[in-house]
Amino acid sequence: MDDNMTLSAAFKQALYPVGGNGKRNVRVLQEAFEDIDGSVESDIYGKGELIEDFQRRMANYVGKEAAVFFPSGTMAQQIALRMWCDRQGLRRVAYHPLCHLEIHEEDGLKELHRIEPILLADKTRLITLEDVMNMREDVACLLLELPQREIGGQLPDYRELEAISAYCREQGIKLHLDGARLFEITPYYNKSAAEICQLFDSVYVSFYKGIGGIAGAVLAGEEPLIQESKVWKRRYGGDLISLYPYIVSADYYFKLRIQKMDQYYHHAQELAGLYNQCYGVVTKPVEPVSNMFHVHIDLPREQLEPILISIYEETGIGLTSYLHQNDEKSCSYEISIGDSYANLPKDQLKLALQMLDEKLGERGR
């Protein structure tokens, strides 16, 4: 083993990465455009059949009156919460402490809109109906992320979700769905995207997570809200002269992969089962509820990295490109299953995890 090899470099050299839909390179865009007629007109500043048709179909898919395509989910969600605050006449919203807006957006909601977030639950668990009912402050909107990525992609029971939705409507609280991975949770709930979204007043979905497009998102809801969001999209600089590279790739990969969500879900369950047979390893959740989960290993990063690199070199299986140090004795990483898993040589995958089990056992026993 090359002593100077990094985990990231070893992962890139592995023949069989476990997660995702393959490398994010220019080929992803080339493939989406291979069968596109070059004479098709592009969208221009949010208008044109290309973008309008896609927006109509996505609105229909999630069961809402209208939808608008955004370059990013960050833009779409900040705008959605701003609009709900304006309509409610209240500058407070509630969400999970590990919400994307709280930990990944440089306080955009606070700095750009002076909106105060109320953090519900704690960092280790989901928001419950009790949390919502016990809020001391009035809020314009409650944001729920399904699944809750930063705690392993956990999901509430569907009846709990229905109860939260009903309570919010009774109290006049708008309910927004961070559905970056909405499509990936439909197998677990055994519900269509539209059935899930009917519980929410507004919905954001991503087209580069499980779908695997280049970038982009859709915000969906009632027609007046979506028309207003177009004004905010222009204010944010998101109304680019043309968005067709994002739309064409989103449309192509949506059609290619939307029927595979059940496959990804069951493959995630299969892989988690293999991980949980390894010494000192536990997945969170133990049984995944979507195509994603977190792997927690009782070994510090500096000791685990050379073990993983040796496994990659011997088996060709790439388990992860990074490790997050949880504490002095353990670390973790995230797995999201896509097309790649179906193409793995399963004997090599089992060998890789058998080696992981043995090497961890040698350290721990």
Side-chain angles (χ1 to χ4, degrees):
M1 185 179 76
D2 182 353
D3 292 336
N4 295 318
M5 178 73 72
T6 65
L7 183 63
S8 176
F11 180 82
K12 286 182 179 180
Q13 292 180 18
L15 294 175
Y16 304 105
V18 170
N21 293 307
K23 292 183 177 180
R24 289 187 61 83
N25 53 25
V26 175
R27 178 62 188 163
V28 175
L29 188 58
Q30 289 177 323
E31 183 179 328
F33 272 85
E34 277 179 348
D35 296 324
I36 296 293
D37 183 347
S39 66
V40 172
E41 293 186 2
S42 72
D43 59 296
I44 298 178
Y45 291 122
K47 298 185 182 298
E49 187 58 27
L50 186 75
I51 189 170
E52 291 170 9
D53 177 65
F54 183 74
Q55 289 172 164
R56 282 192 296 268
R57 286 187 285 114
M58 290 304 104
N60 182 65
Y61 194 83
V62 299
K64 296 300 181 186
E65 288 182 1
V68 62
F69 189 88
F70 280 87
S72 76
T74 295
M75 185 185 299
Q77 295 209 107
Q78 288 185 17
I79 288 172
L81 296 186
R82 170 60 188 266
M83 291 189 299
W84 287 132
C85 285
D86 285 350
R87 289 174 177 228
Q88 301 284 78
L90 185 59
R91 279 287 192 274
R92 279 194 299 270
V93 297
Y95 50 60
H96 193 274
L98 297 179
C99 172
H100 193 279
L101 286 97
E102 186 67 15
I103 65 173
H104 291 304
E105 299 182 15
E106 303 292 347
D107 289 334
L109 199 64
K110 305 169 191 174
E111 295 297 327
L112 297 177
H113 301 286
R114 297 296 184 258
I115 293 174
E116 177 190 356
I118 304 300
L119 305 183
L120 297 185
D122 60 49
K123 295 181 178 181
T124 65
R125 64 173 178 83
L126 296 166
I127 292 172
T128 66
L129 175 61
E130 184 178 0
D131 293 320
V132 181
M133 294 177 69
N134 290 337
M135 278 192 297
R136 296 180 179 179
E137 302 91 345
D138 292 332
V139 298
C141 180
L142 167 65
L143 179 151
L144 294 181
E145 180 185 355
L146 303 179
Q148 194 75 51
R149 177 192 180 185
E150 300 291 340
I151 53 173
Q154 295 183 43
L155 285 170
D157 180 84
Y158 198 74
R159 287 173 294 183
E160 178 88 354
L161 193 57
E162 289 178 311
I164 292 174
S165 175
Y167 178 80
C168 286
R169 287 179 177 167
E170 290 171 3
Q171 299 299 314
I173 301 170
K174 296 302 180 180
L175 189 59
H176 172 77
L177 171 59
D178 178 339
R181 295 165 178 80
L182 167 66
F183 307 125
E184 294 91 319
I185 69 174
T186 54
Y188 175 74
Y189 280 142
N190 195 25
K191 304 282 185 183
S192 68
E195 287 175 310
I196 297 169
C197 291
Q198 72 179 353
L199 301 177
F200 295 83
D201 297 293
S202 56
V203 176
Y204 141 69
V205 294
S206 170
F207 291 96
Y208 74 88
K209 303 293 193 305
I211 295 299
I214 300 300
V218 152
L219 178 66
E222 294 181 351
E223 184 73 38
L225 184 82
I226 297 309
Q227 288 304 317
E228 184 182 348
S229 77
K230 293 179 181 180
V231 176
W232 276 106
K233 181 182 174 185
R234 174 64 63 91
R235 290 168 176 163
Y236 260 70
D239 204 10
L240 308 185
I241 184 172
S242 294
L243 288 165
Y244 68 88
Y246 306 111
I247 296 167
V248 168
S249 70
D251 192 24
Y252 175 82
Y253 289 108
F254 178 83
K255 291 173 180 175
L256 181 69
R257 294 185 173 127
I258 194 62
Q259 300 302 323
K260 297 183 179 181
M261 296 301 157
D262 190 67
Q263 170 188 308
Y264 299 160
Y265 168 53
H266 289 296
H267 282 167
Q269 291 183 312
E270 177 181 278
L271 180 59
L274 294 174
Y275 265 116
N276 284 311
Q277 294 175 27
C278 296
Y279 181 89
V281 178
V282 63
T283 67
K284 294 185 179 181
V286 173
E287 186 170 327
V289 293
S290 71
N291 71 320
M292 71 160 292
F293 58 90
H294 289 184
V295 179
H296 289 251
I297 300 179
D298 291 335
L299 206 64
R301 182 170 56 194
E302 66 272 13
Q303 295 182 34
L304 181 57
E305 281 190 354
I307 291 176
L308 292 177
I309 291 170
S310 68
I311 291 173
Y312 298 177
E313 292 178 341
E314 184 164 340
T315 68
I317 299 293
L319 298 175
T320 182
S321 63
Y322 76 97
L323 294 172
H324 173 75
Q325 189 74 40
N326 297 329
D327 52 42
E328 293 181 358
K329 298 181 179 179
S330 69
C331 54
S332 62
Y333 54 92
E334 181 179 296
I335 293 283
S336 292
I337 297 300
D339 287 346
S340 296
Y341 187 83
N343 300 320
L344 294 177
K346 293 304 187 290
D347 56 340
Q348 291 299 100
L349 174 63
K350 291 179 180 178
L351 174 60
L353 292 174
Q354 179 184 339
M355 290 177 63
L356 180 64
D357 175 48
E358 291 173 353
K359 290 177 180 292
L360 291 174
E362 291 171 1
R363 299 263 182 168
R365 293 187 181 98

